[in-house]
Amino acid sequence: MLALSVVSGFVLGVISGAVYVALRLPAIIVSLGVTLFYEGFAYVITSGYGVSFVTNKEYTSVGTIPFYLAVIAAGLVFMIVVFDLSRFGYNHKALMYGQKIAVNTGIREIPNAILTYGIAGMLMGVVGFITATNNGTIQMSLNFGSIGVMFTAFFPMFAGGFIGRFSNDKLGYLLGAVTSAFVSLMYSRLNVDSSIQQIVTALILVGFVIFLSNEYKITSFFTGRKAERRTA
C-alpha cells in the first residue's frame, strides 16, 4: 500500500505540474483548481463512501511508531539527497534564486518544475498512507474539504525555515513539524477546545510571521540596547 500511495502521489503530482506548465497560471490558482478536480474524481469513483480497512490487519498493523519513524527518516534522507546532493537539486536551487539566469545557462525549467510537483505529490502520498493506516479509513471531501492538511503545514514551514538557517533546511522543516506536534499534544493534555486551539495557533503563526518580517529591526533594537549598556 505504501508503494501504491507513493506511485499514485507521484503521478498525480506530475499531472498537476503539467497543468501548471501548460496554463502558466499562478501556482496557487492551479493547485486550488486541481484540488477541486481530484476531490470530485475521488468522490465519484467511491460514490462518496470513502474507503475503510479497519478490519484489515495487514494495513492497520503497520501503523506503529517505529514504522512511522523509519518512514520519516527515509523521507528526510531522500529529500537531502535529491535537493542537496543531486544535479536536479542544484538546478532547482538555481531556478529558485535566479530563474532567468539559470534558464540562460541551459537549465531546463519545465522538466524541473514538473518533477518538483511529482516529488511533492509523492511525499503527499506518504502523508496519505500514514493518515490512512492511523485512522483505518479514507474519507472523501468536496469543496476544498481536504485542504486542511495544507494549513497544518504552515507553522512547520515557517518555523522550519527559521530553524534551517542554523542547520540543513530539510532538518529544520522536520524539527518544525515536531514542534507543531508538541503544541498539538499540549492542547490535548490541557483539554483545550478545538476553536480555542485554532485561535491560539493562528496567533502564534501570525506572531511568528511578524517576527520574521521585522527580524532585522528587532535584532538591531536589542543589539543597540546591549551596546548602550556596555558603554554606560
Side-chain angles (χ1 to χ4, degrees), residues 9 11 13 22 33 37 39 56 67 79 82 85 106 109 112 123 128 130 142 147 149 166 170 185 187 189 203 206 219:
V11 172
F37 174 78
E39 285 182 347
N56 193 325
F67 178 80
M79 292 291 290
V82 171
L85 303 177
E109 176 187 9
N112 193 282
L123 295 175
I130 292 177
L142 288 174
I147 209 169
V149 66
F166 311 100
K170 314 304 181 299
L185 181 61
Y187 290 149
R189 292 294 185 182
L203 290 175
V206 171
T219 53

Side-chain angles (χ1 to χ4, degrees), residues 93-117:
K93 289 182 178 179
L95 289 167
M96 284 180 58
Y97 298 113
Q99 184 178 12
K100 186 175 182 179
I101 297 175
V103 172
N104 290 337
T105 59
I107 295 177
R108 302 175 63 189
E109 176 187 9
I110 292 178
N112 193 282
I114 294 177
L115 184 55
T116 300
Y117 267 88

Side-chain angles (χ1 to χ4, degrees), residues 61-230:
S61 61
V62 301
T64 60
I65 293 179
F67 178 80
Y68 290 155
L69 291 177
V71 172
I72 292 172
L76 176 62
V77 173
F78 172 80
M79 292 291 290
I80 292 176
V81 171
V82 171
F83 286 100
D84 291 344
L85 303 177
S86 69
R87 181 177 180 180
F88 164 80
Y90 297 145
N91 293 342
H92 181 80
K93 289 182 178 179
L95 289 167
M96 284 180 58
Y97 298 113
Q99 184 178 12
K100 186 175 182 179
I101 297 175
V103 172
N104 290 337
T105 59
I107 295 177
R108 302 175 63 189
E109 176 187 9
I110 292 178
N112 193 282
I114 294 177
L115 184 55
T116 300
Y117 267 88
I119 293 174
M122 182 174 62
L123 295 175
M124 282 304 301
V126 175
V127 173
F129 169 80
I130 292 177
T131 303
T133 54
N134 186 48
N135 298 335
T137 59
I138 301 176
Q139 300 294 332
M140 296 298 103
S141 301
L142 288 174
N143 301 321
F144 299 117
S146 63
I147 209 169
V149 66
M150 181 183 73
F151 294 105
T152 61
F154 279 178
F155 179 75
M157 181 179 67
F158 287 112
F162 178 77
I163 298 173
R165 299 179 187 176
F166 311 100
S167 63
N168 183 278
D169 57 342
K170 314 304 181 299
L171 179 60
Y173 293 131
L174 176 59
L175 294 177
V178 171
T179 301
S180 178
F182 274 116
V183 172
S184 299
L185 181 61
M186 178 191 69
Y187 290 149
S188 178
R189 292 294 185 182
L190 296 177
N191 294 320
V192 179
D193 185 77
S194 59
S195 59
I196 302 299
Q197 292 183 25
Q198 295 178 2
I199 294 174
V200 173
T201 301
L203 290 175
I204 293 174
L205 179 59
V206 171
F208 195 71
V209 172
I210 293 174
F211 167 76
L212 292 178
S213 301
N214 300 275
E215 183 180 0
Y216 177 75
K217 296 179 181 179
I218 296 173
T219 53
S220 298
F221 173 77
F222 285 104
T223 302
R225 292 291 298 271
K226 288 182 180 180
E228 293 176 1
R229 291 177 181 177
R230 291 175 182 175

Side-chain angles (χ1 to χ4, degrees), residues 1-56:
M1 183 178 177
L2 177 58
L4 179 61
S5 299
V6 170
V7 172
S8 60
F10 179 81
V11 172
L12 294 176
V14 167
I15 294 174
S16 301
V19 172
Y20 165 72
V21 170
L23 298 181
R24 295 290 182 176
L25 293 173
I28 184 63
I29 301 300
V30 174
S31 298
L32 293 175
V34 171
T35 297
L36 280 176
F37 174 78
Y38 286 164
E39 285 182 347
F41 181 75
Y43 195 91
V44 169
I45 64 176
T46 63
S47 299
Y49 292 107
V51 180
S52 176
F53 40 85
V54 176
T55 59
N56 193 325

